[in-house]
Amino acid sequence: MSVVDPVIADVNRRVDPLRSETWTAFRAAAARIAGVAGDATGADLPRARADAARALKAALTAELKADFDAGVPGDVVAARRAAAVDEALRQLLQGRDDVAVTGVGGYGRGLLAPFSDVDLLFLTRDDPKAARSAVETTLYVLWDAGLVVGNAAHDVAGAVAACKADVTTCTSYLDARLVAGDPRLHAAFSERYDAYRRRSAKRFTKEKLAEFRERRRDYDRAGRHLEPNLKEMRGGLRDIDTVGWIYRYLTGVDPWSADGLEDLVDAEEADRLKKARSHLWSVRGHLHDIVGRADDQVTFDLQPLLASRLGYADRRRAAAAERLMKHLRLNALTAARLVRVCLARLEERTAELAHWRPRGTPQPLRTDEMPGRVNVTMRTNRLDFLNKAEARRTPADLFRIFRARAKRPDLGLHPDAIELIASSARRLTDDVRGDAEIAELFLAMIERAREPLTVLQDMSECGLLGAYLPSLRRVTGQVEYGLYRRYSIEETIFRSIDAYAGLRYRDLAESHPIAASLLKRKARRRAALVAILLQETSWAVADRSTEHVERAARRIARRFLSDERQVADVAWCAARPDRLIVAAERRNIGADETILDFAADVGSVARLETLLVLTVCRHLVVSENRWNAWTRRQVGAMFFGARAALAGGAPALAAFRREEEAALVAALREAAPFWSAKEAQAYAARLVEVGASRLPARLLAQGASLLHGARNARPPVAVDVRAAADGFEAVVTAPDRTGLLADLAAGAGEAGVAVRLVHAMSLDGQALDFFVLSTPGAAAGAGGETDRSVVAARIEAAFRSRAANAERRAPRTAQRIGDRRALFDVTPKVEIDADAAPGRLLVEIEGRDRPGLLHDLAAAIADAGGSIGSAHIATYGERAVDVFYVTPIGEAERFREDVLQDIERRLMAVLSECG
C-alpha cells in the first residue's frame, strides 16, 4: 500500500484526533474480555463481548463518517478501514500466543470497502480446540459489530491442504497477512505455502487465466455495459487483481509496491495501472457507503449521487453522471490494455516451451492492400512486429498488424506489439491521418473482417483508433445517461460495424435481405460503412446542429471516399442517423404526403440506400428490443415507398400504392372468403389510408373476420389476442365512440403491457383497432412474465371489458417493481401541426414514459373534441414520443384556434404529471 501511504499519512493527521476518542471505549471493553476470559465460570464473558461489539460498531461507524465528511478518497478509506479492523483484532487477541489471525483476500491486501467481507484465517497449533474460545470470542464481537466475516480455522498443514484442494482458497491465502497473535505460526504457514506456490506456479497461472477469459465472456453476455460492475467489468478490479495474483504467485513480490510490475511494463505504465486501480477503489468505497451494503453495480440511480460525492459537476455538453462514467470507462480502458500486456507476459513465463515454438507467418498475413511485405511475424503464438525499429519509424505498420489481426481473429497481439502501438499512437500526425493508402487499408480492415468488433476494441484499447480518428477519441468512454442505449457511444459504433459484417458474412443476411442485397455493390458498401463509422459525429462536436454535424462528417468522409456525391450522401446520413426510423415510426406511412415529404428530404436513391443500411446496423445495436419485426416492416414500407417516389415522383408512388392495395385485396380475399370483392376493396383502401397495410397478413385477416362476426353479435364487440415474437398482437372491434382508444389504452395498462403501436380505423360505424403490444420488461427495464398465455388472456379480458363499457374509467395502474423510468427527467413537449395532413391534425408529444400515459393522452384529446384516427407510439428508454392523427368530432372540418390551444394545454398537463 505504499502507493497511497503519503495520502493516508495526511489523512491521519487531519482525522485521527477523532479516532482516539471513539476507540477508547472499545479498547476498555476488549481489555475486560481478556480479564474475564480465564474465569472458570465465564459468566461475565457474554456481557464483555456485547460491550466490545457495541463499542467497535460505534468506533467503525464514527471513523467511516469522519473519513467521508473530510473528503477522504474512497481507496484511502478502504485502507484506513482495513487498518481499523487490524487494530480491533489486535486488541481482542492481546496476549494470545496459541493462535495467529491472518487477513486474507482483499482484507489481506490491506483494502476493505465499507461493507466488504473481512476474510480471516485462524492458524492454530496441532489441537485447534485449544484456541476455540479465542476464535469464537473474536468472531462474536466482529459479527455483533455488524461486520460480515468469512473465516476458516486450520493448523498449518490443514491450511496448506486447503490451498491444494481449491484454487479459490489458494488465491485468497496468497495475500495472507499477519494481523494478531503468534508470529511463529504465521511464519510456518508462509514457509509451507511458499514452497507449494513455487511448485504449482504453472497450474495456478493456467487456472487463473481460464477464469479471466470466462469472466470476460460472461460479462459481455450480461449486457449491463452502462451500469458496470466495478469488479467484473472489462478492465475492472477483478481483472487487475488477476494480474496481481499471478504476479505475486510467480515472484513472491507485492505487485502494488512502489516498483511492483516494473519487470512487466515500464514505470510509467505501471503507474497508470495503479492509478486506474486507485480510481476504481475510490468509486467502490463511496458506492458501498451510499447503498449501505456490499454492492459493486453502478446503477443509474446511484450514478448522480456518486458523481456528486466525487466532485463531478454538470457541464454544458455532459451531465455530472455522464462525466463520472466517462472517466470510469477511460480508466477501465487503460487498465484493460495493461492487463492484457501483463497477463500475456506472465503466461509466457509458465507456458511449455513447445507451446511457444517459433512458427512461420501464415501466408495470408504476409500481404495486404499496401505494397511491400507486411512487417509482421508470429511470436509465442501472437502477432508481433518483425522489425520493431522499422515499425516505430513507419506508422503504416501500426495499421498493417491490425489488418493481419482482422484476417486471423484467433491470433492476439504480442504484449511488445501492444506497447509499441500505444506509445507510437500518441505521436500520430495529420499526414498519417490524411494518407490515402492507410485510409484504404483501414477501410479494408473493417470491411472485410468477419469479426471486426474485437479488432476495433483492440485498436481503441491501444489508443490507435482514437489517434487516427480524433472525433472518435473525443467520444471514447462517453455515455448517454438514460435507459435508451445499451452501450457507450464508441461501443455503439463498433457493434454497428459488427452488425454490418453480420449482414455480409453471417446470419443477419437472412433476416435483413434488403440491406444485405444493397451491400453486394462495392460503392454502396463503402458509403454505408463510412456512414456507420461517423454515425455519432454529433457527440464529437461543440455545435450539435444538423448543419454543423454534416460539415464535420463531410470533412472526415473525404479521407475515405473520393467521390464527392458519396461524401455528401455519407455526411447527410451521419448527421441524421435516425431519420428513416423516426419517419417510419412516428408518421402515417399510408399517407402519400408522408412518403413524398420524406423522399424529398432524402433526395436520391443512393442516399436512401445508404441510410437504410445505416438504420439497420445502428438499431440492431443501439437499444435493447429497439429493432423488431414491426419496426422492420415499417422501415421496409417507408423505404420502398420512398424509392418509388424518388424514381418517378408522385405517379410512381401512386402506382406503387395500387400494386400494394391489389396484393392486399388478393390476400384478404383468400383469407376472408366471406367478403365480397367490393367489401375487401373498401377494407384494403382503409388499411392503406391509415398506414396499417404493412401489419402482418394474419392480423389483417383476423380483423376482417372479427368485423364480419361482429355484425350479428350483441354487443358487437370482438377481441383477438395472440402472442408474437416481440410481444403480443391484438385486434379489437366495437361500436365507434369518442374515447374508445383511451379506454382500450387503459385496458392495456391494467393488463400489464405497453402499447407499442396502434392503428385505429372505422368502417360503417364499427371501430377496428390493431395493437402491437410489448411487455414492460422491453419497454422500461423491468422484469416481465414468462407465461405468455396467461398474459394474453388477461389482455383479452381487459380489452373486452373496456370496449363493451362506454363508462369512462381511469386505468388501475401502478409503477412496477424494477421500472426505472422515474429516475430520469424528460422535458415535456407538445407540437401541433394543422397542415401536415389533409383534414387531420398531427399532434406529436414527448415526455417521460409511465404506466397509463397513452390513456391519459388519448383521453385528453377526446375531452378536447378530437377523434384519434391512428397513433404511433415510440419509446426510447424513459422517453415516450407519441404521434396522433386527429380529426374533429362532429361536422367541423378543421379545429378552431382555441380548440388547438385547449388540446395543447391538456396534453402538457398530462405530461407534467409525475406518474
Side-chain angles (χ1 to χ4, degrees):
M1 291 307 302
S2 58
V3 174
V4 294
D5 281 348
V7 180
I8 294 176
D10 178 62
V11 171
N12 290 342
R13 286 192 294 272
R14 290 186 285 124
V15 180
D16 271 0
L18 292 171
R19 186 176 186 180
S20 62
E21 298 173 12
T22 58
W23 281 80
T24 301
F26 171 72
R27 292 191 181 100
R32 287 198 298 277
I33 290 176
V36 302
D39 184 0
T41 64
D44 292 332
L45 187 56
R47 180 179 297 176
R49 286 174 178 168
D51 290 344
R54 280 194 298 271
L56 177 59
K57 185 173 185 178
L60 291 174
T61 302
E63 181 165 324
L64 190 63
K65 183 178 186 304
D67 282 350
F68 280 119
D69 287 349
V72 178
D75 56 328
V76 180
V77 171
R80 283 172 53 78
R81 189 165 179 81
V85 175
D86 289 355
E87 172 69 11
L89 289 169
R90 282 193 286 268
Q91 293 295 326
L92 290 169
L93 290 160
Q94 54 187 315
R96 300 299 299 246
D97 61 357
D98 56 346
V99 65
V101 181
T102 62
V104 295
Y107 172 55
R109 292 191 293 276
L111 289 171
L112 188 63
F115 291 92
S116 290
D117 294 2
V118 180
D119 293 324
L120 299 176
L121 168 63
F122 293 91
L123 292 169
T124 65
R125 302 196 187 283
D126 294 339
D127 183 8
K129 294 180 181 179
R132 181 174 179 176
S133 64
V135 172
E136 288 182 348
T137 295
T138 302
L139 291 175
Y140 284 140
V141 172
L142 297 181
W143 285 332
D144 290 346
L147 296 172
V148 179
V149 184
N151 67 95
H154 295 288
D155 61 15
V156 170
V160 175
C163 292
K164 294 178 180 178
D166 178 54
V167 70
T168 301
T169 301
C170 186
T171 304
S172 180
Y173 290 3
L174 175 63
D175 296 303
R177 173 178 59 87
L178 178 65
V179 177
D182 188 356
R184 293 169 296 178
L185 279 172
H186 181 263
F189 167 72
S190 296
E191 183 179 354
R192 295 276 295 274
Y193 182 90
D194 281 346
Y196 172 71
R197 174 180 63 78
R198 287 188 288 269
R199 293 195 307 271
S200 59
K202 187 183 301 183
R203 172 193 153 196
F204 180 86
T205 302
K206 183 177 180 180
E207 292 189 12
K208 299 313 289 185
L209 287 172
E211 282 181 11
F212 166 78
R213 292 172 182 130
E214 182 62 27
R215 182 174 62 254
R216 281 205 164 180
R217 285 192 293 268
D218 288 347
Y219 190 76
D220 284 342
R221 285 194 292 264
R224 298 188 71 176
H225 296 269
L226 298 191
E227 298 178 288
N229 185 297
L230 295 172
K231 291 176 72 173
E232 305 299 329
M233 66 189 293
R234 180 185 289 265
L237 288 168
R238 193 69 81 196
D239 282 3
I240 297 171
D241 284 342
T242 300
V243 171
W245 291 327
I246 298 176
Y247 183 84
R248 189 163 192 163
Y249 209 88
L250 295 182
T251 66
V253 175
D254 178 7
W256 312 117
S257 60
D259 55 355
L261 302 179
E262 291 185 11
D263 53 337
L264 297 180
V265 292
D266 63 33
E268 186 178 352
E269 294 282 57
D271 189 52
R272 286 193 180 98
L273 183 58
K274 292 169 185 176
K275 286 181 177 177
R277 177 177 182 257
S278 176
H279 178 72
L280 289 166
W281 263 101
S282 188
V283 176
R284 189 180 187 219
H286 285 282
L287 178 61
H288 279 212
D289 188 54
I290 289 171
V291 300
R293 64 179 185 274
D295 191 344
D296 298 312
Q297 199 84 37
V298 188
T299 52
F300 286 124
D301 56 324
L302 301 175
Q303 289 172 16
L305 297 173
L306 281 168
S308 177
R309 281 274 196 108
L310 293 164
Y312 293 88
D314 291 342
R315 296 281 175 84
R316 187 172 64 87
R317 291 290 308 276
E322 292 174 339
R323 295 182 61 224
L324 162 69
M325 299 310 294
K326 180 171 183 176
H327 193 192
L328 182 64
R329 282 187 55 79
L330 290 175
N331 273 286
L333 199 65
T334 297
R337 170 175 62 84
L338 294 171
V339 163
R340 289 178 61 207
V341 170
C342 292
L343 291 181
R345 289 200 167 123
L346 290 167
E347 185 179 21
E348 288 181 353
R349 294 184 181 183
T350 59
E352 298 283 353
L353 290 177
H355 181 66
W356 301 128
R357 67 182 183 275
R359 295 171 54 192
T361 305
Q363 183 63 40
L365 307 188
R366 297 178 185 179
T367 59
D368 55 29
E369 288 72 17
M370 295 185 73
R373 181 180 173 84
V374 181
N375 182 18
V376 171
T377 189
M378 293 288 297
R379 188 150 70 93
T380 59
N381 284 356
R382 295 185 175 95
L383 294 170
D384 198 4
F385 294 107
L386 181 65
N387 185 325
K388 292 182 174 55
E390 182 180 339
R392 290 189 182 93
R393 295 190 304 268
T394 313
D397 284 355
L398 309 181
F399 296 86
R400 299 184 83 173
I401 197 170
F402 279 107
R403 180 68 181 101
R405 173 95 167 84
K407 293 179 181 179
R408 288 289 303 273
D410 57 312
L411 298 177
L413 295 178
H414 192 274
D416 289 356
I418 295 173
E419 285 192 327
L420 192 153
I421 294 166
S423 62
S424 299
R426 301 181 193 117
R427 301 188 298 272
L428 218 63
T429 66
D430 286 341
D431 288 342
V432 176
R433 297 183 186 99
D435 188 289
E437 288 187 338
I438 291 178
E440 174 63 27
L441 184 73
F442 175 76
L443 281 187
M445 178 187 72
I446 55 178
E447 179 187 4
R448 297 172 188 171
R450 291 180 178 271
E451 298 177 21
L453 177 61
T454 55
V455 179
L456 290 164
Q457 288 174 334
D458 285 357
M459 287 187 77
S460 182
E461 280 185 7
C462 292
L464 181 60
L465 191 56
Y468 183 58
L469 292 170
S471 62
L472 194 55
R473 181 182 62 228
R474 288 191 283 274
V475 303
T476 298
Q478 180 70 51
V479 300
E480 182 177 15
Y481 183 60
L483 294 172
Y484 176 53
R485 288 183 182 265
R486 282 191 289 180
Y487 305 104
S488 64
I489 302 302
E490 88 282 3
E491 190 76 6
T492 298
I493 297 172
F494 300 164
R495 291 178 182 268
S496 297
I497 292 173
D498 196 61
Y500 170 95
L503 289 174
R504 292 199 64 200
Y505 304 116
R506 303 198 298 269
D507 56 353
L508 286 180
E510 297 178 9
S511 52
H512 301 84
I514 305 168
S517 67
L518 297 176
L519 296 180
K520 293 179 180 179
R521 288 175 286 166
K522 181 177 180 180
R524 187 66 60 244
R525 286 200 303 270
R526 283 292 171 93
L529 182 59
V530 177
I532 294 168
L533 186 65
L534 302 182
Q535 64 179 294
E536 303 288 6
T537 302
S538 65
W539 286 88
V541 294
D543 182 351
R544 297 180 70 173
S545 65
T546 302
E547 295 75 14
H548 188 83
V549 173
E550 186 173 347
R551 285 197 298 271
R554 189 188 298 264
R555 288 194 298 270
I556 304 170
R558 286 195 178 104
R559 291 168 49 184
F560 301 105
L561 302 168
S562 57
D563 186 330
E564 275 298 316
R565 287 176 300 178
Q566 278 193 327
V567 168
D569 289 346
V570 164
W572 190 93
C573 294
R576 303 163 182 82
D578 299 321
R579 181 68 180 89
L580 173 55
I581 199 167
V582 165
E585 286 189 329
R586 300 189 199 171
R587 294 294 182 266
N588 177 11
I589 58 176
D592 286 355
E593 63 271 12
T594 297
I595 301 293
L596 291 170
D597 288 349
F598 173 74
D601 191 22
V602 174
S604 72
V605 172
R607 183 173 292 178
L608 177 67
E609 292 176 349
T610 299
L611 184 61
L612 175 68
V613 176
L614 169 59
T615 299
V616 171
C617 294
R618 174 178 172 81
H619 289 280
L620 281 170
V621 168
V622 68
S623 182
E624 192 173 6
N625 300 307
R626 186 73 186 89
W627 186 267
N628 55 31
W630 168 246
T631 304
R632 187 165 60 246
R633 285 192 293 269
Q634 289 291 93
V635 168
M638 179 65 82
F639 172 78
F640 285 119
R643 190 164 69 174
L646 287 167
L653 177 60
F656 172 76
R657 294 289 199 203
R658 287 193 296 272
E659 292 175 5
E660 182 182 40
E661 189 173 318
L664 184 58
V665 169
L668 289 172
R669 290 297 306 279
E670 183 177 349
F674 45 78
W675 265 7
S676 66
K678 184 178 179 180
E679 288 175 315
Q681 184 74 39
Y683 181 52
R686 282 292 286 143
L687 291 173
V688 172
E689 181 183 349
V690 300
S693 60
R694 285 282 172 168
L695 286 167
R698 64 181 182 280
L699 197 62
L700 300 178
Q702 189 62 22
S705 178
L706 291 183
L707 276 176
H708 183 73
R711 290 174 175 174
N712 301 316
R714 292 292 178 270
V717 173
V719 179
D720 183 77
V721 180
R722 300 185 184 188
D726 304 305
F728 298 89
E729 296 169 346
V731 187
V732 181
T733 184
D736 201 5
R737 57 179 167 81
T738 301
L740 175 62
L741 180 59
D743 290 339
L744 294 176
E750 291 170 350
V753 293
V755 178
R756 178 166 175 78
L757 180 131
V758 59
H759 280 295
M761 55 184 282
S762 181
L763 281 175
D764 300 326
Q766 189 76 6
L768 182 64
D769 294 351
F770 299 93
F771 289 86
V772 177
L773 307 164
S774 64
T775 60
E785 293 184 54
T786 55
D787 192 340
R788 291 158 64 82
S789 62
V790 172
V791 180
R794 193 165 64 231
I795 296 169
E796 182 171 345
F799 275 169
R800 191 178 299 278
S801 172
R802 287 283 181 168
N805 190 341
E807 180 184 351
R808 179 75 60 83
R809 306 192 310 274
R812 300 183 300 274
T813 59
Q815 203 81 15
R816 292 171 60 98
I817 295 174
D819 185 345
R820 298 180 294 164
R821 291 173 290 189
L823 294 173
F824 307 95
D825 293 325
V826 179
T827 302
K829 298 178 184 176
V830 175
E831 293 183 4
I832 298 177
D833 188 344
D835 301 315
R840 286 177 291 175
L841 192 69
L842 188 150
V843 180
E844 182 167 348
I845 68 94
E846 180 175 342
R848 193 182 71 201
D849 199 14
R850 58 174 173 81
L853 177 62
L854 178 59
H855 165 271
D856 294 348
L857 294 170
I861 292 173
D863 290 344
S867 174
I868 298 174
S870 66
H872 305 262
I873 313 302
T875 54
Y876 306 90
E878 70 282 358
R879 186 166 58 97
V881 181
D882 298 349
V883 176
F884 304 95
Y885 284 84
V886 183
T887 56
I889 296 174
E891 301 297 326
E893 295 184 0
R894 291 179 63 88
F895 288 96
R896 300 193 313 270
E897 186 63 32
D898 62 317
V899 176
L900 296 180
Q901 293 173 2
D902 186 39
I903 291 174
E904 182 176 0
R905 179 183 56 78
R906 290 174 181 271
L907 292 175
M908 283 298 294
V910 169
L911 295 174
S912 299
E913 293 177 8
C914 294

